[in-house]
Amino acid sequence: MKRWKIWLSVVSLILVVALFYVLDTRFWVDKYEIRGDTIVFENTHYVYENSDSDKLGKLIGIAYFEGRKRGINDYIWPEWVYGYKGDKEHKRIFVRGLMDLGDTYIKQ
């Protein structure tokens, strides 16, 4: 096989992986709506609580502000929502922005 075909295959693979990463972390995740000091997800309300960020689990969604259409900045630098390790029901979530230390929210 020619060298340019190998490079083309490698570049194509990298582009496909990058595309699926963006889709998986920006579009195919759950969307949490920020309403002041509460976060709403499918009629479940989370209330702000000042807590630690130890034992964070994996990314479970992104948060956006109520009444505002999601803009390009929300896709590039979203507010990440993490679950805690061992918390399968997501009773506590952790929301972190780009330059933010993050906040914990408790399910009501």
Side-chain angles (χ1 to χ4, degrees):
M1 203 148 80
K2 294 193 178 191
R3 186 168 268 183
W4 68 272
K5 288 183 180 179
I6 293 173
W7 282 108
L8 182 64
S9 298
V10 169
V11 169
S12 297
L13 179 65
I14 291 171
L15 289 175
V16 167
V17 168
L19 175 68
F20 275 96
Y21 173 77
V22 168
L23 289 174
D24 189 42
T25 59
R26 301 319 197 267
F27 296 98
W28 296 339
V29 294
D30 294 328
K31 281 112 181 127
Y32 293 76
E33 185 176 4
I34 300 172
R35 296 181 184 171
D37 283 345
T38 62
I39 293 181
V40 179
F41 174 70
E42 294 179 350
N43 295 327
T44 303
H45 294 267
Y46 293 90
V47 178
Y48 173 75
E49 176 191 82
N50 192 3
S51 182
D52 60 351
S53 62
D54 293 343
K55 300 178 185 173
L56 286 181
K58 64 179 186 169
L59 174 73
I60 60 172
I62 58 175
Y64 64 96
F65 289 96
E66 171 192 24
R68 189 180 82 177
K69 189 174 179 180
R70 290 178 66 196
I72 189 72
N73 286 339
D74 293 328
Y75 292 105
I76 297 173
W77 300 291
E79 302 279 333
W80 300 106
V81 178
Y82 294 93
Y84 282 86
K85 289 182 183 175
D87 186 12
K88 301 290 183 194
E89 298 174 3
H90 302 300
K91 293 181 181 178
R92 293 173 53 202
I93 59 173
F94 187 78
V95 180
R96 177 182 301 163
L98 176 66
M99 300 292 285
D100 189 12
L101 296 177
D103 298 316
T104 300
Y105 291 82
I106 304 295
K107 184 188 276 188
Q108 295 297 306

